[in-house]
Amino acid sequence: MQTEAEATTALITNDAVVLGLLAVILGGVFWASSLSHPWVKRFFTVIPALLLCYFLPSLLTTFGVVDPETSRLYFIASRFLLPAALVLLTVSADLPAIAGLGPKAVIMFFTGAVGVMLGGPIALLLTSWIAPDLMGAGPEAIWRGMATVAGSWIGGSANQTALYEIYGAGPDIFSIFIAVDVVVANVWMAVVLWIAANQKKVDKLFRADASAVDRVRDKAEAYELETARIPSLKDLIFILAVAFGAVGLSHAIADPLSAWFGATFPWAQRLSFDSSFFWLVFIATVVGVALSFTGARKLQGPGAAKVGSVFVYMLVATVGLNMNIGAILDSPVYFLIGGVWMLVHVALMFAMAFLIRSPSFFLGVGSMANIGGAASAPVAAAAFHPSLAPVGVLLAVLGYIIGTAAGWFTGLVMMQIAAGAG
């Protein structure tokens, strides 16, 4: 019987070695971004450091150096570093100020959800006209695979799994659209990170009033300067104690709570309440919010948010490993379908942002709360500013709640389109 390491053709199968490579990549990017050479500065003005931290690891997968299917680094980062980062970034945040950001974040989130619900049927309709031979039948019908992507792009992987069961997608079409989901979503994530690095230019394009976002950011920076001090060993130990103590508590509650919901309430799956990852993210966020109103917020002084940002960058690198650019060459037509779908979502987001003069922050985070879920929304928000990460978390949780129902409805529409095409 083959082991995972023997079954893959990747050059490196040892996660310790892969982790070392990712750490070196992050270190190299930050070292290069600190250089004062004019050409280097100009390069990082166009290509932000965070985008490179995301893109360079994908080359390890694209060229067969690493196989993310056999690596547990993303699982570890998403289950341990992500909730730890959420706690540290939330405990440092000024929640009352964030609450005063206004309704535009929610408007942009629901615009993103509607964009996914419209984009799928439009992409399928175009496919039925241009390439009707791709439509398929039975479990391998293309609309069944697309319905799982709708669940993922409005909610997350738990919603995707629920729709896989509801619509009975076959394993072949499901595996194709998992690849479409990951690659297309990650390409858009790269664009969002670029927007975050150039937010003032984009805000000017939207004629946006970003003063509310600026006030939260400036207030956070002022508080950090006011309380900043060189961290002692005790400070760092306290920061880790708060972060991973909260992670441990979140896991201790999330696992039995998700199992109880799944066994007790038949409707729990539709709202992702039977997903331990949903509860893990939710509980870690609640703990961070609660601690932000206590003396724990003073941990911002010795650098709690910076430690949280380190965890975010490690998460970004492991997420990047999952993007195999070469996969597009294997099933180009399906990726074209995914690209059309994403373009509808993006076009609607930009149109709404221009209409309501939304800051680019709400566009990026509202979109990634749909497309990327809890693993990506706080990363996108933190790219605009670490103090804004809680906004991404809260919107991602909302995505989990509506994801299955919205994806189910989208699947029904696509089923009718497929039936009409047949």
Side-chain angles (χ1 to χ4, degrees), residues 108-120 154 341 344-345 348 370 410:
M108 294 304 296
F109 167 81
F110 280 107
T111 300
V114 171
V116 173
M117 294 174 71
L118 290 176
I154 299 172
W341 191 347
V344 174
H345 165 82
L348 200 59
N370 283 285
T410 307

Side-chain angles (χ1 to χ4, degrees), residues 138-220:
E140 300 304 328
I142 188 174
W143 70 267
R144 298 182 195 272
M146 292 178 70
T148 68
V149 177
S152 174
W153 281 0
I154 299 172
S157 57
N159 308 88
Q160 183 177 37
T161 303
L163 287 161
Y164 172 71
E165 297 293 336
I166 290 170
Y167 283 119
D172 291 340
I173 198 70
F174 185 54
S175 62
I176 288 173
F177 275 100
I178 283 179
V180 171
D181 173 7
V182 172
V183 172
V184 175
N186 284 348
V187 169
W188 171 236
M189 175 71 164
V191 177
V192 169
L193 296 180
W194 181 88
I195 291 173
N198 297 273
Q199 53 188 290
K200 290 186 177 179
K201 293 179 182 177
V202 180
D203 288 342
K204 188 176 181 181
L205 173 67
F206 294 152
R207 301 168 299 143
D209 178 12
S211 58
V213 177
D214 292 340
R215 280 195 299 271
V216 174
R217 185 189 64 224
D218 295 343
K219 192 174 181 183

Side-chain angles (χ1 to χ4, degrees), residues 31 63 134 155 158 175 271 289-290 293 295 310 318 333 397 413:
W31 171 78
F63 292 107
L134 287 176
S175 62
L271 299 179
V289 169
F293 292 98
V310 170
T318 61
V333 176
V397 168
V413 175

